[in-house]
Amino acid sequence: MALYPSWSKRVVVASFCFCFLSLFSLSSFGRPATFLQDFRVTWSDSHIRQIDGGRAIQLVLDQNSGCGFASKQKYLFGRVSMKIKLIPGDSAGTVTAFYMNSDTNTVRDELDFEFLGNRTGQPYTVQTNIYAHGKGDREQRVNLWFDPAADFHTYTILWNHHHIVFYVDDMPIRVYKNNEARGVPYPKLQPMGVFSTLWEADDWATRGGLEKINWSKAPFYSYYKDFDIEGCSVPGPASCASSTNNWWEGASYQALSALDYRRYRWVRINHMIYDYCTDRSRYPVAPPECTAGF
């Protein structure tokens, strides 16, 4: 993921990532669920502690290991969001990731938020990437215009038949349109699980690997809460994903509003620092989705 490297279910999670994660899940009956009811540990079980009867968990990034978890179910279209408070201070070489993944090897679909750690006083960078039908390498990077370690902010992925939109709070920072008619692959056939990890990637994460992780600052903590999934769960009713009655397929979600488009342009003009579409060293000819129009 490096730059060179029922019909609807609602899950609410508050979480911290040795991180601390507080997880709350609401079924259609509003019954709180424990972490293990809706999620599973995917990486370093010894670094994950359940708190408050499993309604919260604690994870660690130290010199021994990082940590991670995933949803037990996969989803086909919908919206996923969580509130995250990132690692404060010197976080260079760390990556906090929130993403959706089809968990298939050769023909992978994936939608990534990756928060790249920084040296103290430098802006935090968020990298997004999209894999469609096994092809990725669609990285874009934006410097956040606030301190994401000072408070919680909401990070959202909206995925429907028309486009994929990445939001930071209410600001759309990336749009990937469905341009299948022009031969551009678009993820629409494979359900994806929801994942989160905290890990060390100082070979590329900060200034292309020039800034290494300072282990004297470990352990590193990120904080998550209000993790919300609304989508078609798989397995589930086969007709859900194609239903036009799902709110995320409604007319107001098929394209950015005029206000959202202005916000999107503001982010890209003032805070984008890398776009694969304009990297002629990697793509002498721009990929087709880059010329297909907004």
Side-chain angles (χ1 to χ4, degrees), residues 61-100:
L61 170 61
D62 58 21
Q63 284 185 278
N64 295 315
S65 182
C67 53
F69 69 92
S71 59
K72 288 183 176 179
Q73 287 188 295
K74 293 183 178 182
Y75 302 87
L76 189 57
F77 301 113
R79 183 185 67 184
V80 181
S81 69
M82 66 169 69
K83 291 183 179 178
I84 305 175
K85 184 177 179 180
L86 294 173
I87 300 167
D90 188 347
S91 58
T94 68
V95 174
T96 304
F98 154 46
Y99 59 104
M100 300 186 72

Short mmCIF file of all heavy atoms in Angstrom, two decimals, residues 61-100:
data_model
loop_
_atom_site.label_atom_id
_atom_site.label_comp_id
_atom_site.label_asym_id
_atom_site.label_seq_id
_atom_site.Cartn_x
_atom_site.Cartn_y
_atom_site.Cartn_z
N LEU A 61 1.93 -0.32 19.28
CA LEU A 61 3.06 -0.38 18.36
C LEU A 61 4.30 -0.12 19.19
O LEU A 61 4.50 0.97 19.72
CB LEU A 61 2.95 0.67 17.25
CG LEU A 61 4.21 0.85 16.39
CD1 LEU A 61 4.56 -0.44 15.66
CD2 LEU A 61 4.06 2.00 15.42
N ASP A 62 5.12 -1.17 19.33
CA ASP A 62 6.41 -1.03 19.97
C ASP A 62 7.44 -1.76 19.12
O ASP A 62 7.15 -2.14 17.99
CB ASP A 62 6.36 -1.57 21.42
CG ASP A 62 5.92 -3.03 21.51
OD1 ASP A 62 6.04 -3.76 20.50
OD2 ASP A 62 5.47 -3.44 22.59
N GLN A 63 8.63 -1.96 19.64
CA GLN A 63 9.67 -2.60 18.84
C GLN A 63 9.41 -4.07 18.59
O GLN A 63 10.05 -4.67 17.72
CB GLN A 63 11.03 -2.41 19.52
CG GLN A 63 11.58 -1.00 19.34
CD GLN A 63 12.97 -0.85 19.91
OE1 GLN A 63 13.14 -0.66 21.10
NE2 GLN A 63 13.98 -0.94 19.06
N ASN A 64 8.47 -4.65 19.32
CA ASN A 64 8.15 -6.06 19.11
C ASN A 64 7.12 -6.27 18.02
O ASN A 64 7.20 -7.23 17.25
CB ASN A 64 7.65 -6.68 20.42
CG ASN A 64 8.72 -6.71 21.48
OD1 ASN A 64 9.86 -7.06 21.21
ND2 ASN A 64 8.36 -6.32 22.70
N SER A 65 6.13 -5.38 17.93
CA SER A 65 5.05 -5.64 16.98
C SER A 65 4.14 -4.42 16.84
O SER A 65 4.10 -3.55 17.72
CB SER A 65 4.21 -6.84 17.43
OG SER A 65 3.20 -7.14 16.50
N GLY A 66 3.40 -4.41 15.74
CA GLY A 66 2.27 -3.53 15.60
C GLY A 66 1.01 -4.30 15.94
O GLY A 66 1.06 -5.30 16.67
N CYS A 67 -0.14 -3.89 15.38
CA CYS A 67 -1.38 -4.56 15.74
C CYS A 67 -2.44 -4.27 14.69
O CYS A 67 -2.31 -3.34 13.88
CB CYS A 67 -1.86 -4.09 17.11
SG CYS A 67 -1.99 -2.29 17.23
N GLY A 68 -3.50 -5.08 14.70
CA GLY A 68 -4.57 -4.84 13.75
C GLY A 68 -5.79 -5.69 14.02
O GLY A 68 -5.72 -6.70 14.71
N PHE A 69 -6.93 -5.25 13.46
CA PHE A 69 -8.17 -6.01 13.57
C PHE A 69 -8.98 -5.81 12.31
O PHE A 69 -8.69 -4.93 11.48
CB PHE A 69 -8.98 -5.58 14.81
CG PHE A 69 -9.55 -4.19 14.73
CD1 PHE A 69 -10.83 -3.98 14.22
CD2 PHE A 69 -8.82 -3.11 15.16
CE1 PHE A 69 -11.36 -2.70 14.15
CE2 PHE A 69 -9.35 -1.82 15.09
CZ PHE A 69 -10.61 -1.62 14.59
N ALA A 70 -10.01 -6.64 12.14
CA ALA A 70 -10.87 -6.57 10.95
C ALA A 70 -12.29 -6.90 11.32
O ALA A 70 -12.56 -7.60 12.31
CB ALA A 70 -10.37 -7.53 9.87
N SER A 71 -13.22 -6.43 10.50
CA SER A 71 -14.62 -6.80 10.69
C SER A 71 -14.80 -8.27 10.35
O SER A 71 -14.11 -8.82 9.48
CB SER A 71 -15.53 -5.94 9.80
OG SER A 71 -15.19 -6.10 8.43
N LYS A 72 -15.72 -8.91 11.01
CA LYS A 72 -16.01 -10.32 10.71
C LYS A 72 -16.79 -10.46 9.41
O LYS A 72 -16.71 -11.50 8.76
CB LYS A 72 -16.79 -10.96 11.86
CG LYS A 72 -15.96 -11.20 13.11
CD LYS A 72 -16.76 -11.91 14.19
CE LYS A 72 -15.91 -12.24 15.39
NZ LYS A 72 -16.70 -12.91 16.46
N GLN A 73 -17.53 -9.44 9.05
CA GLN A 73 -18.31 -9.48 7.82
C GLN A 73 -17.70 -8.58 6.77
O GLN A 73 -16.94 -7.66 7.07
CB GLN A 73 -19.75 -9.03 8.08
CG GLN A 73 -20.58 -10.06 8.83
CD GLN A 73 -22.04 -9.64 8.87
OE1 GLN A 73 -22.40 -8.63 9.46
NE2 GLN A 73 -22.89 -10.42 8.21
N LYS A 74 -18.04 -8.84 5.53
CA LYS A 74 -17.68 -7.97 4.42
C LYS A 74 -18.93 -7.22 3.96
O LYS A 74 -20.07 -7.61 4.28
CB LYS A 74 -17.10 -8.78 3.26
CG LYS A 74 -15.75 -9.42 3.56
CD LYS A 74 -15.21 -10.14 2.34
CE LYS A 74 -13.85 -10.74 2.61
NZ LYS A 74 -13.29 -11.40 1.39
N TYR A 75 -18.71 -6.15 3.19
CA TYR A 75 -19.79 -5.29 2.76
C TYR A 75 -19.61 -4.94 1.29
O TYR A 75 -18.48 -4.81 0.80
CB TYR A 75 -19.83 -4.01 3.61
CG TYR A 75 -19.98 -4.31 5.08
CD1 TYR A 75 -18.85 -4.56 5.86
CD2 TYR A 75 -21.23 -4.41 5.67
CE1 TYR A 75 -18.98 -4.88 7.20
CE2 TYR A 75 -21.37 -4.73 7.01
CZ TYR A 75 -20.22 -4.97 7.78
OH TYR A 75 -20.35 -5.30 9.10
N LEU A 76 -20.72 -4.81 0.58
CA LEU A 76 -20.71 -4.46 -0.83
C LEU A 76 -21.49 -3.15 -1.00
O LEU A 76 -22.72 -3.16 -0.93
CB LEU A 76 -21.31 -5.58 -1.68
CG LEU A 76 -21.18 -5.45 -3.20
CD1 LEU A 76 -19.72 -5.31 -3.61
CD2 LEU A 76 -21.81 -6.66 -3.89
N PHE A 77 -20.76 -2.05 -1.11
CA PHE A 77 -21.28 -0.69 -1.19
C PHE A 77 -21.77 -0.21 0.18
O PHE A 77 -22.11 -1.00 1.06
CB PHE A 77 -22.39 -0.55 -2.23
CG PHE A 77 -21.96 -0.93 -3.62
CD1 PHE A 77 -22.49 -2.06 -4.25
CD2 PHE A 77 -21.01 -0.18 -4.30
CE1 PHE A 77 -22.10 -2.41 -5.53
CE2 PHE A 77 -20.62 -0.54 -5.58
CZ PHE A 77 -21.15 -1.65 -6.20
N GLY A 78 -21.75 1.10 0.32
CA GLY A 78 -22.19 1.71 1.57
C GLY A 78 -21.26 2.82 2.00
O GLY A 78 -20.55 3.43 1.20
N ARG A 79 -21.23 3.07 3.30
CA ARG A 79 -20.38 4.10 3.88
C ARG A 79 -19.73 3.58 5.15
O ARG A 79 -20.38 2.93 5.97
CB ARG A 79 -21.18 5.36 4.21
CG ARG A 79 -20.31 6.51 4.74
CD ARG A 79 -21.15 7.69 5.18
NE ARG A 79 -21.97 7.36 6.35
CZ ARG A 79 -22.85 8.19 6.89
NH1 ARG A 79 -23.04 9.39 6.35
NH2 ARG A 79 -23.57 7.83 7.94
N VAL A 80 -18.45 3.86 5.29
CA VAL A 80 -17.68 3.46 6.46
C VAL A 80 -17.01 4.71 7.01
O VAL A 80 -16.40 5.47 6.25
CB VAL A 80 -16.61 2.40 6.12
CG1 VAL A 80 -15.84 2.00 7.37
CG2 VAL A 80 -17.24 1.19 5.47
N SER A 81 -17.09 4.94 8.31
CA SER A 81 -16.40 6.08 8.89
C SER A 81 -15.92 5.75 10.29
O SER A 81 -16.44 4.84 10.94
CB SER A 81 -17.31 7.32 8.93
OG SER A 81 -18.36 7.14 9.86
N MET A 82 -14.93 6.48 10.73
CA MET A 82 -14.47 6.40 12.10
C MET A 82 -13.84 7.73 12.49
O MET A 82 -13.38 8.49 11.64
CB MET A 82 -13.47 5.26 12.30
CG MET A 82 -12.14 5.43 11.59
SD MET A 82 -10.91 4.21 12.12
CE MET A 82 -11.63 2.72 11.43
N LYS A 83 -13.86 7.99 13.79
CA LYS A 83 -13.16 9.15 14.33
C LYS A 83 -11.81 8.68 14.84
O LYS A 83 -11.72 7.69 15.56
CB LYS A 83 -13.97 9.82 15.44
CG LYS A 83 -15.22 10.50 14.94
CD LYS A 83 -15.95 11.22 16.05
CE LYS A 83 -17.19 11.93 15.50
NZ LYS A 83 -17.95 12.61 16.58
N ILE A 84 -10.76 9.41 14.45
CA ILE A 84 -9.40 9.01 14.79
C ILE A 84 -8.66 10.20 15.38
O ILE A 84 -8.78 11.32 14.90
CB ILE A 84 -8.63 8.50 13.56
CG1 ILE A 84 -9.39 7.37 12.87
CG2 ILE A 84 -7.22 8.03 13.96
CD1 ILE A 84 -8.75 6.90 11.57
N LYS A 85 -7.89 9.92 16.42
CA LYS A 85 -6.94 10.87 16.99
C LYS A 85 -5.57 10.25 16.81
O LYS A 85 -5.27 9.20 17.40
CB LYS A 85 -7.26 11.15 18.45
CG LYS A 85 -6.39 12.20 19.11
CD LYS A 85 -6.85 12.42 20.55
CE LYS A 85 -5.99 13.46 21.24
NZ LYS A 85 -6.43 13.67 22.66
N LEU A 86 -4.75 10.86 15.98
CA LEU A 86 -3.50 10.24 15.56
C LEU A 86 -2.37 10.41 16.58
O LEU A 86 -2.51 11.13 17.57
CB LEU A 86 -3.08 10.81 14.21
CG LEU A 86 -4.03 10.46 13.05
CD1 LEU A 86 -3.62 11.22 11.79
CD2 LEU A 86 -4.05 8.96 12.78
N ILE A 87 -1.26 9.75 16.32
CA ILE A 87 -0.10 9.73 17.21
C ILE A 87 0.44 11.15 17.36
O ILE A 87 0.77 11.79 16.37
CB ILE A 87 1.00 8.81 16.66
CG1 ILE A 87 0.48 7.38 16.51
CG2 ILE A 87 2.24 8.85 17.55
CD1 ILE A 87 1.40 6.49 15.69
N PRO A 88 0.59 11.64 18.58
CA PRO A 88 1.13 12.99 18.76
C PRO A 88 2.65 12.99 18.74
O PRO A 88 3.31 11.96 18.85
CB PRO A 88 0.61 13.38 20.15
CG PRO A 88 0.54 12.06 20.88
CD PRO A 88 0.15 11.04 19.84
N GLY A 89 3.21 14.19 18.58
CA GLY A 89 4.65 14.34 18.69
C GLY A 89 5.40 13.70 17.53
O GLY A 89 4.95 13.72 16.38
N ASP A 90 6.52 13.10 17.85
CA ASP A 90 7.39 12.49 16.84
C ASP A 90 6.84 11.12 16.45
O ASP A 90 7.06 10.14 17.14
CB ASP A 90 8.81 12.38 17.39
CG ASP A 90 9.81 11.94 16.33
OD1 ASP A 90 9.38 11.50 15.24
OD2 ASP A 90 11.02 12.04 16.59
N SER A 91 6.13 11.09 15.33
CA SER A 91 5.51 9.83 14.87
C SER A 91 6.14 9.34 13.57
O SER A 91 5.58 8.46 12.91
CB SER A 91 4.01 10.03 14.67
OG SER A 91 3.78 11.08 13.74
N ALA A 92 7.27 9.92 13.18
CA ALA A 92 7.91 9.57 11.90
C ALA A 92 8.11 8.06 11.80
O ALA A 92 8.49 7.39 12.76
CB ALA A 92 9.25 10.29 11.78
N GLY A 93 7.83 7.52 10.61
CA GLY A 93 8.02 6.10 10.36
C GLY A 93 6.85 5.22 10.73
O GLY A 93 6.86 4.03 10.45
N THR A 94 5.81 5.80 11.34
CA THR A 94 4.62 5.02 11.69
C THR A 94 3.53 5.23 10.65
O THR A 94 3.48 6.25 9.97
CB THR A 94 4.06 5.42 13.07
OG1 THR A 94 3.54 6.75 13.00
CG2 THR A 94 5.16 5.37 14.14
N VAL A 95 2.67 4.23 10.53
CA VAL A 95 1.50 4.34 9.65
C VAL A 95 0.28 3.85 10.43
O VAL A 95 0.27 2.74 10.95
CB VAL A 95 1.67 3.51 8.36
CG1 VAL A 95 0.36 3.54 7.55
CG2 VAL A 95 2.82 4.03 7.52
N THR A 96 -0.72 4.70 10.50
CA THR A 96 -2.02 4.31 11.02
C THR A 96 -2.94 4.16 9.82
O THR A 96 -3.09 5.10 9.04
CB THR A 96 -2.58 5.39 11.97
OG1 THR A 96 -1.64 5.62 13.02
CG2 THR A 96 -3.91 4.95 12.57
N ALA A 97 -3.51 2.99 9.64
CA ALA A 97 -4.28 2.70 8.43
C ALA A 97 -5.72 2.35 8.77
O ALA A 97 -5.99 1.66 9.74
CB ALA A 97 -3.64 1.56 7.64
N PHE A 98 -6.61 2.85 7.95
CA PHE A 98 -8.04 2.53 8.00
C PHE A 98 -8.45 2.26 6.57
O PHE A 98 -8.30 3.13 5.70
CB PHE A 98 -8.80 3.70 8.62
CG PHE A 98 -10.25 3.83 8.23
CD1 PHE A 98 -11.10 2.73 8.22
CD2 PHE A 98 -10.78 5.06 7.90
CE1 PHE A 98 -12.43 2.87 7.86
CE2 PHE A 98 -12.11 5.22 7.55
CZ PHE A 98 -12.93 4.11 7.54
N TYR A 99 -8.93 1.06 6.27
CA TYR A 99 -9.15 0.72 4.87
C TYR A 99 -10.18 -0.39 4.72
O TYR A 99 -10.54 -1.07 5.68
CB TYR A 99 -7.83 0.32 4.20
CG TYR A 99 -7.11 -0.86 4.83
CD1 TYR A 99 -7.14 -2.12 4.23
CD2 TYR A 99 -6.37 -0.72 6.00
CE1 TYR A 99 -6.47 -3.20 4.79
CE2 TYR A 99 -5.69 -1.78 6.56
CZ TYR A 99 -5.74 -3.02 5.96
OH TYR A 99 -5.07 -4.08 6.52
N MET A 100 -10.64 -0.54 3.48
CA MET A 100 -11.50 -1.65 3.10
C MET A 100 -10.70 -2.52 2.13
O MET A 100 -9.95 -2.01 1.30
CB MET A 100 -12.78 -1.15 2.45
CG MET A 100 -13.60 -0.26 3.34
SD MET A 100 -15.22 0.18 2.60
CE MET A 100 -16.09 -1.39 2.76
#
